[in-house]
Amino acid sequence: MTEQMKIVRHSEQTLRTALISKNPRLVSQYEKLDIREQRLMNEAFQPASELFSPITLHSQSDWITSHPEAPQDFEEFFSDPYRKTPSPEKHSIYIQSIGALGNTRVISEEYIKWLKGYCEAFFYGLTVKLLEPVSVSATRCSFRVNDHTQNLQIHAGHILKFLKKKKPEDAFCVVGITMIDLYPRDSWNFVFGQASLTDGVGIFSFARYGRDFYSSHYEGKVKKLQKKSSSDYSIFDNYYIPEITSVLLLRSCKTLTHEIGHIFGLRHCQWLACLMQGSNHLEEADRRPLNLCPICLRKLQCAIGFSIAERYKALVRWIDGESAGTPRATPKHSREDSVNLPKPVESFKEWKEWIIKCLAVLQK
C-alpha cells in the first residue's frame, strides 16, 4: 500500500486564493476578521505549518482518486445560490435517534447527550435539541438482510422521508442516527449515511463503527429473515448493538459533523487534511482529522458567525467533560437511571492538544 501513497500538495498561491479569494469584496471581508483569526487561517498556505498538512492518499480506493469532483473554494461556497444558512427563525439542529443506541436505556441516553454536546461545540452558536427517540417500526421503512454481511439493514431514503415529515418549525436541519446499518437502494451493499440538502435532513448509521463489525464472530448476523408481513418489525426488538467505546464515540462525532457540514453547503474538501474530506472506507475515515482546515473553517464561520477562539474553547470543555447542560435532576425511576457514565474521551486527547496549539496562535 505504501508505494502508492501520494501527497496532494497545492501551491501557496492556490491555497491563498481558495481561502481569501480574489474577489475584492471577499478579500475585504477577510481583512475585517479579527487579526488573530486571520493569523490562524493564514496557516493554510504556510508550507511548514504544524497545524495544517496536505492530504495524503494511501491507495487507489481512496475517495479523491475514485470520486473525481470539482473542488469548492471559499468564493464558490459563498456565492452558491442553493446554500442554506441558519436564520433566527431556523436556528436549531435536531437529533433523532432511531432504535436503541446502547445496550441499556441509560447508555442510549448518555451517548446521545454526548453527541448533542459535541455538535453544540462544533457548530458553536447554534442550538442542538433532541427529539424523542423512536423505534424502527415508527419510521415504516423497508428493511432487509444484507447478502454479503448477513446483518439487518434499513432503507435510508424511507427514513429521510420520515424525518422530513417530523421536521420542527425552528429546525435548520434534522439528523437521524441509528446503530442499524443502512442501504440506499436494492443494488447497493450499504451506505454510512445519506442527506438531502434541500430538505435539511440526514440519516447516519454507526453500525460499522463498532470494533467487531468486520469480524467473523459479529453478533449482528441474522440467520434468516422471517417476516410475517412488511409491517412486522419484531426482528429489531433485541437486535445487536455494538458497545460504545471511545473509538466509536470519536467516529460518530466525526460522521455527524461531516454530514451536517454538507447540509451547510460545504462540499468535500480537497485542499488540506480536513474533516470534510470524502471517505470511501473506514480506514480512510479514521485517517481524516476531527478538525476543519482553514478554508472549510472560514465557510462554517461565514454561515454561523462564531468567534473561532470561543468555538475551540467549547470543544476543549466538551473533551474535558465539563457539561454545558443543566445538572441532572433526581430521577423518578429506578436507581439505574442515576448512573452518570463517564464520557469515553481517551481517543480525543491528541486532538485536544492540537486545539490548544491553535488557541495559542489565537491568543498571541
Side-chain angles (χ1 to χ4, degrees), residues 47-327:
S49 173
E50 283 181 15
L51 297 173
F52 303 102
S53 50
I55 294 173
T56 309
L57 300 177
H58 287 241
S59 78
Q60 288 300 301
S61 67
D62 279 8
W63 183 269
I64 287 184
T65 319
S66 55
H67 293 76
E69 53 189 313
Q72 179 197 47
D73 60 19
F74 176 75
E75 186 176 335
E76 284 166 305
F77 169 82
F78 185 81
S79 48
D80 176 358
Y82 302 108
R83 181 165 66 83
K84 294 228 184 314
T85 305
S87 64
E89 299 75 49
K90 298 202 180 294
H91 208 249
S92 300
I93 292 171
Y94 281 86
I95 302 177
Q96 168 76 72
S97 60
I98 296 162
L101 299 177
N103 288 311
T104 67
R105 197 174 86 234
V106 173
I107 295 173
S108 288
E109 287 173 1
E110 288 291 294
Y111 172 60
I112 200 163
K113 281 184 196 149
W114 297 333
L115 293 174
K116 170 186 186 282
Y118 186 77
C119 285
E120 274 170 338
F122 195 94
F123 300 103
Y124 189 73
L126 294 189
T127 315
V128 181
K129 298 178 184 174
L130 300 177
L131 291 167
E132 268 307 303
V134 297
S135 63
V136 176
S137 63
T139 68
R140 299 303 267 167
C141 64
S142 297
F143 58 97
R144 70 177 187 187
V145 170
N146 182 300
D147 295 337
H148 309 286
T149 44
Q150 256 53 69
N151 61 307
L152 272 176
Q153 294 183 304
I154 52 184
H155 192 296
H158 296 172
I159 293 173
L160 290 179
K161 281 200 184 95
F162 166 80
L163 294 172
K164 189 184 167 183
K165 284 209 272 286
K166 278 197 67 173
K167 195 175 175 189
E169 275 295 286
D170 65 337
F172 169 66
C173 64
V174 180
V175 293
I177 58 173
T178 182
M179 284 293 176
I180 302 158
D181 205 26
L182 301 169
Y183 69 105
R185 61 182 78 98
D186 293 344
S187 58
W188 277 51
N189 180 17
F190 82 98
V191 67
F192 281 121
Q194 203 176 341
S196 159
L197 308 192
T198 40
D199 297 328
V201 291
I203 171 70
F204 322 111
S205 165
F206 306 139
R208 291 173 184 253
Y209 295 164
R211 55 167 69 134
D212 52 358
F213 186 87
Y214 294 99
S215 75
S216 55
H217 57 262
Y218 176 63
E219 290 171 51
K221 290 187 163 69
V222 175
K223 302 289 177 286
K224 187 158 172 31
L225 187 54
Q226 279 156 343
K227 251 201 259 194
K228 294 185 191 64
S229 72
S230 63
S231 58
D232 175 15
Y233 289 88
S234 57
I235 190 159
F236 291 99
D237 290 348
N238 290 304
Y239 188 59
Y240 175 72
I241 298 165
E243 183 197 350
I244 292 171
T245 58
S246 189
V247 170
L248 189 140
L249 181 62
L250 175 88
R251 288 170 172 167
S252 42
C253 285
K254 260 190 199 177
T255 297
L256 204 49
T257 48
H258 173 99
E259 298 296 346
I260 296 171
H262 282 320
I263 297 174
F264 276 94
L266 278 79
R267 294 214 297 271
H268 282 134
C269 181
Q270 299 179 47
W271 305 110
L272 293 158
C274 175
L275 173 81
M276 291 310 296
Q277 280 170 251
S279 73
N280 246 354
H281 42 82
L282 194 53
E283 202 191 331
E284 187 176 18
D286 281 343
R287 279 197 303 267
R288 66 178 176 205
L290 279 152
N291 59 277
L292 296 169
C293 74
I295 296 157
C296 295
L297 182 62
R298 185 180 179 198
K299 293 173 188 177
L300 192 65
Q301 185 193 36
C302 158
I304 301 178
F306 46 70
S307 139
I308 294 176
E310 291 309 314
R311 174 178 173 272
Y312 280 152
K313 285 178 200 161
L315 285 162
V316 170
R317 282 197 300 274
W318 181 88
I319 297 169
D320 286 345
E322 294 168 30
S323 159
T326 46

Side-chain angles (χ1 to χ4, degrees), residues 21-38:
S21 157
K22 286 188 168 154
N23 173 330
R25 192 164 67 110
L26 296 185
V27 172
S28 82
Q29 186 191 325
Y30 188 77
E31 287 165 353
K32 285 195 187 91
L33 291 175
D34 182 310
I35 192 78
R36 290 164 298 196
E37 293 191 336
Q38 290 183 51

